[in-house]
Amino acid sequence: MGKEPTSNAVLEDFPAELQGQAAAALETERLSVEKGIDAWKKIVAAAPSAWEPRRELARVYRRAERWKACVEVLKEAVEKATWATAEAKVPVLLEMVELYRDRLKLDVMVVEAYNRILTLQPNNVEVMDALAAQYEVIPRWPELIAVLRKKAAIVASAQEKIALHLKVANLYLEKFSNQAEAIKTFEAILEIDPGNVEALAFLKQMYEKRRDWDRLVAVLRQEIARVTDPAEQGRRWAEVAKLATEKLKKAAVSIELWGKVLDVNDSDGEALTELEKLYEREKRWEELAAVLDKQAMLSDDPAKRGVILPKLATVYTEKLQKPDLAVAAWKTLLDAEPENRRAQDALRKLYLQNKDWDALEGFYSVQGKWDEFARVLERQAETETGEARVGLWNKIAVLYRDRLNKPDKAQKAFEKTLSLDGHNLVAAEALIPMYERDKDAKRLAGVLQVQLEHTQDAAERQERMLRIAQILEGDAGDKPLALTVALQALSENPREEWAREYAERLAGETGNWALLVEAYEAVLPSLQGQDALPVLATVARAYEKELANTEAAIERNRAILEIADRDEQAVLASRTPVCGHRPARPVVGHLRQEARPGRLGRREARSAPPARGALRRTGARRGQGDRALQGHPEDGQGRRAGAARTRPPVSGHRALEGSEQDHRTPAQAAQ
């Protein structure tokens, strides 16, 4: 490693100004070594910053075996000479190492020289190895460890790094008994090679001895990661999980480790049991429910399932607010233990809470306790409102009718529904056969009217209204209400013969001509030509004979003449006799005279002055009639007649509500 600084009498590298003196010194050296030394000293003194004279002086000292003087010259050269680069000093320092070690036996100076070299070349591995060997010889263990660590930091090979760290760790253990530093070194080895057997074995022993559970668990994790056999891996994970649970007492770590066990074997009973306790302690309800469900599925022990399933259902109900899953858990228990009272009570409460009436019915159906089911629904119905209450009473009624064969209670329950919702079709249609059986005509008409409200087909509506009118007129004895139904039918189909026949006959029998006229006036705009004649004739007759409204009668008869032939008999023939009364001849005659002045044609007669004069002769009566048609506040009959001319056609329930004698609907009348 050293280099002898000799020149072999070659002076080409000497500065030009020193070559003459150097040549003389070489000549003197041949005559006497001592005189040669003095000559070279003089040149060094003359040129203290030049390396070449010092080199030659060191050569002469070596020749004379004056080792101490030689190393001193080299030392001064390193310190005082001028060098092109700092690293140019390294060969000189290596020569000094050789002299100190081999000639002077100065170990301390050897170390110093090596360290000076490492100052100049920090990554000089060869010097590091030499220095480490020197420290071992001395021995100086702390310095040796420092050098080994420096080398481990710069070498590229992982295996070489591990070897250096192992040497350092063993030095700490053997020379200093320093376990803490040895642990750090072995940890550094694991960072390079997580599966290093020697490091793992040592660290496991040390961590357990020092009760450092966190690090022990970490080391065990690394060790298990290298196990390939699933059974062995599961066993080892279970050991670590137990250790963490008993010693570490960190729930998150224990949960993770028991989870590793389940990753290997998802039916491991011990892992599920431990996780159940941990999840409950940590209030991790979703995970707890999953574990309980798994335990229930795996267990063949009825007693154990009898404990697990109620706990699972309680978690779903109280902690997770998942009543559907709670129901499933209780049903599973009830399937296994049909007489389990706790499960029965819990299911009943959940069904009521969820308002799952079908499920509650199935629950009681299995037990055949229909009476109890009915009582439960009745109590619940009293706490409900709106549609929920209506639906419950319908369900109660069906239960009494179909399951308990108690028609009286069924009827009362359906009637309760109608009292809450007067338009409920289910209850109405259920009551129809009951009222038919009891021959309760008024109530039958009422529920038929509710059924009518939900009927859309026009022909079917006419059939149902005819039946309602027949019942009201006949067994119910309510002709005014029958009249309103007939008028409603007429408003929906003005050409319906039965409706007009019923309306006119019932108006005559009840004296409710105002309601008839109002309804007829409403449908007139929808009738054209000959179709309007029967209605116009009836309206004109009612105005003249029943309502004492001559002006309105004249106006309607004039409308008749505009449609039919001017002949009086044509007008009379176009009318249907009203309840046995003869046609209104005086009014028709008046219109005939007004419409036929001389031989004028029909069109001319309408615009002739005599006709207008004839109308004006009605004088104050016409003014009074106009006021009545416009709804004069002092004339009630006129107000109705005016309304009959101006209101839109009656439709739906409006016709049924238009009677001045009876404003009840059939459903209301039935009640």
Side-chain angles (χ1 to χ4, degrees):
M1 217 177 349
K3 180 180 178 183
E4 186 178 345
T6 57
S7 64
N8 296 320
V10 178
L11 304 176
E12 286 82 358
D13 59 344
F14 265 73
E17 67 274 12
L18 296 179
Q19 285 190 0
Q21 299 178 48
L26 283 174
E27 192 63 32
T28 302
E29 180 186 337
R30 291 190 184 96
L31 297 175
S32 170
V33 173
E34 291 298 328
K35 289 182 179 180
I37 289 172
D38 291 338
W40 286 114
K41 280 184 177 181
K42 289 178 182 178
I43 296 174
V44 168
S49 62
W51 155 242
E52 291 79 4
R54 294 180 186 278
R55 180 189 68 196
E56 296 304 317
L57 179 58
R59 176 182 59 78
V60 177
Y61 278 138
R62 177 181 285 276
R63 179 180 172 188
E65 295 186 356
R66 293 171 64 174
W67 310 116
K68 187 174 181 181
C70 179
V71 81
E72 287 297 326
V73 169
L74 295 174
K75 184 178 180 181
E76 287 182 359
V78 170
E79 295 173 353
K80 297 180 180 181
T82 301
W83 302 91
T85 64
E87 290 189 358
K89 300 177 183 182
V90 171
V92 179
L93 288 168
L94 289 173
E95 184 68 21
M96 291 170 60
V97 166
E98 182 183 349
L99 292 172
Y100 282 136
R101 185 187 64 227
D102 300 337
R103 302 298 180 178
L104 299 174
K105 309 298 182 184
L106 294 175
D107 293 330
V108 174
M109 299 310 295
V110 172
V111 169
E112 182 181 343
Y114 278 138
N115 281 325
R116 292 189 71 174
I117 293 172
L118 290 176
T119 302
L120 299 172
Q121 295 179 334
N123 295 334
N124 192 319
V125 175
E126 188 177 0
V127 171
M128 287 181 183
D129 289 340
L131 180 58
Q134 187 65 31
Y135 281 142
E136 286 192 72
V137 171
I138 297 179
R140 288 172 60 174
W141 309 121
E143 290 84 349
L144 174 58
I145 289 171
V147 171
L148 294 173
R149 282 182 166 172
K150 284 183 181 179
K151 183 179 179 182
I154 64 171
V155 295
S157 169
Q159 292 303 317
E160 193 171 358
K161 285 179 181 288
I162 291 170
L164 290 167
H165 283 304
L166 282 173
K167 190 170 184 178
V168 170
N170 288 323
L171 285 171
Y172 276 125
L173 292 173
E174 295 170 5
K175 305 302 180 181
F176 302 101
S177 297
N178 190 336
Q179 294 178 349
E181 290 299 328
I183 288 171
K184 291 179 183 177
T185 307
F186 278 116
E187 289 172 344
I189 293 172
L190 286 185
E191 290 178 5
I192 302 168
D193 178 15
N196 187 276
V197 176
E198 188 175 351
L200 287 171
F202 174 79
L203 289 174
K204 278 169 44 180
Q205 180 184 359
M206 287 297 101
Y207 290 149
E208 188 170 4
K209 182 178 179 181
R210 297 162 70 90
R211 305 177 71 81
D212 192 341
W213 309 119
D214 277 312
R215 292 183 177 179
L216 176 58
V217 168
V219 167
L220 292 171
R221 284 174 185 268
Q222 290 177 286
E223 192 175 48
I224 297 171
R226 302 178 67 83
V227 177
T228 56
D229 179 56
E232 177 64 15
Q233 197 175 54
R235 186 186 66 79
R236 297 284 293 276
W237 278 124
E239 290 177 355
V240 180
K242 287 179 189 176
L243 174 68
T245 303
E246 296 170 3
K247 303 295 186 182
L248 192 58
K249 299 188 184 304
K250 291 184 178 179
V253 176
S254 298
I255 287 170
E256 181 193 357
L257 292 171
W258 285 115
K260 296 282 188 183
V261 178
L262 289 182
D263 289 342
V264 178
N265 178 10
D266 64 355
S267 60
D268 188 283
E270 184 181 15
L272 291 170
T273 300
E274 292 298 326
L275 284 172
E276 177 192 348
K277 293 186 285 188
L278 288 164
Y279 286 143
E280 187 169 9
R281 187 188 313 155
E282 295 300 304
K283 296 179 171 56
R284 292 170 61 170
W285 307 119
E286 287 282 1
E287 292 91 338
L288 175 60
V291 166
L292 290 170
D293 186 58
K294 186 75 173 179
Q295 287 177 310
M297 182 179 65
L298 294 173
S299 178
D300 295 326
D301 182 1
K304 187 174 181 181
R305 287 168 60 85
V307 173
I308 294 172
L309 288 170
K311 186 174 183 179
L312 175 61
T314 302
V315 170
Y316 280 137
T317 304
E318 298 179 2
K319 304 300 182 182
L320 297 176
Q321 286 74 52
K322 293 183 176 181
D324 292 344
L325 294 176
V327 166
W330 286 120
K331 286 179 70 176
T332 302
L333 178 59
L334 204 58
D335 289 342
E337 302 178 30
E339 300 304 319
N340 189 300
R341 293 303 300 275
R342 183 181 179 189
Q344 291 176 356
D345 292 342
L347 271 177
R348 183 168 54 251
K349 289 178 182 178
L350 283 169
Y351 289 147
L352 286 170
Q353 176 184 324
N354 298 341
K355 299 182 181 180
D356 190 346
W357 313 126
D358 291 337
L360 188 63
E361 181 176 353
F363 171 77
Y364 280 107
S365 174
V366 171
Q367 303 176 53
K369 298 180 179 179
W370 297 112
D371 281 313
E372 184 178 343
F373 181 40
R375 290 194 296 272
V376 168
L377 291 183
E378 286 174 342
R379 287 195 298 270
Q380 186 67 26
E382 296 305 318
T383 67
E384 298 291 338
T385 58
E387 292 182 5
R389 191 178 187 187
V390 170
L392 272 182
W393 277 111
N394 267 341
K395 194 169 190 68
I396 293 165
V398 171
L399 181 62
Y400 277 128
R401 182 190 65 193
D402 299 344
R403 295 290 185 180
L404 296 172
N405 194 26
K406 295 182 178 180
D408 292 342
K409 286 194 172 184
Q411 180 174 327
K412 289 180 180 178
F414 280 126
E415 289 171 346
K416 179 69 173 181
T417 299
L418 279 183
S419 71
L420 298 170
D421 175 12
H423 306 280
N424 190 277
L425 178 62
V426 173
E429 290 188 332
L431 286 168
I432 289 172
M434 296 180 182
Y435 290 151
E436 287 175 338
R437 176 199 65 205
D438 297 340
K439 302 188 184 316
D440 192 336
K442 287 188 177 181
R443 292 185 176 182
L444 176 58
V447 293
L448 287 171
Q449 180 64 21
V450 174
Q451 184 187 49
L452 178 65
E453 293 173 4
H454 297 273
T455 304
Q456 301 298 322
D457 182 73
E460 189 175 4
R461 287 183 61 81
Q462 289 294 326
E463 291 176 5
R464 290 182 172 176
M465 284 188 280
L466 173 58
R467 185 184 180 195
I468 294 169
Q470 289 171 338
I471 292 171
L472 288 172
E473 182 188 9
D475 293 338
D478 194 338
K479 292 183 179 181
L481 205 52
L483 172 61
T484 63
V485 174
L487 292 176
Q488 179 181 345
L490 190 68
S491 71
E492 295 182 15
N493 184 2
R495 295 172 179 81
E496 189 65 57
E497 291 295 334
W498 79 263
R500 196 168 67 249
E501 187 275 327
Y502 259 67
E504 293 175 8
R505 178 171 52 78
L506 290 171
E509 293 176 6
T510 61
N512 202 342
W513 291 101
L515 184 61
L516 177 73
V517 168
E518 182 181 5
Y520 274 26
E521 290 281 11
V523 301
L524 274 173
S526 64
L527 298 173
Q528 302 296 326
Q530 296 294 324
D531 289 341
L533 285 175
V535 176
L536 282 169
T538 301
V539 171
R541 174 72 182 85
Y543 276 137
E544 180 185 359
K545 292 296 183 180
E546 307 300 339
L547 301 178
N549 190 339
T550 306
E551 293 298 323
I554 292 172
E555 184 177 347
R556 283 303 172 220
N557 278 295
R558 184 170 57 188
I560 293 170
L561 289 176
E562 290 176 354
I563 297 171
D565 189 83
R566 289 174 296 171
D567 184 74
E568 178 181 340
Q569 295 302 320
V571 175
L572 295 175
S574 70
R575 294 182 66 252
T576 301
V578 183
C579 303
H581 294 288
R582 294 182 61 80
R585 292 180 181 272
V587 174
V588 174
H590 172 73
L591 289 174
R592 179 176 176 277
Q593 292 174 5
E594 191 178 53
R596 287 185 168 185
R599 292 185 178 181
L600 290 174
R602 189 174 179 183
R603 180 174 298 176
E604 292 83 348
R606 288 179 186 168
S607 58
R612 289 196 298 271
L615 289 174
R616 289 192 193 96
R617 283 195 298 272
T618 58
R621 266 190 87 181
R622 172 160 186 177
Q624 185 179 4
D626 289 341
R627 286 195 303 274
L629 292 174
Q630 293 168 5
H632 197 282
E634 296 177 1
D635 188 349
Q637 267 191 334
R639 187 162 58 250
R640 288 192 297 273
R645 296 178 59 196
T646 59
R647 289 184 188 175
V650 178
S651 62
H653 302 299
R654 218 180 133 196
L656 293 177
E657 295 168 356
S659 173
E660 292 183 341
Q661 292 187 8
D662 193 337
H663 294 283
R664 299 169 298 163
T665 67
Q668 292 168 331
Q671 297 299 325

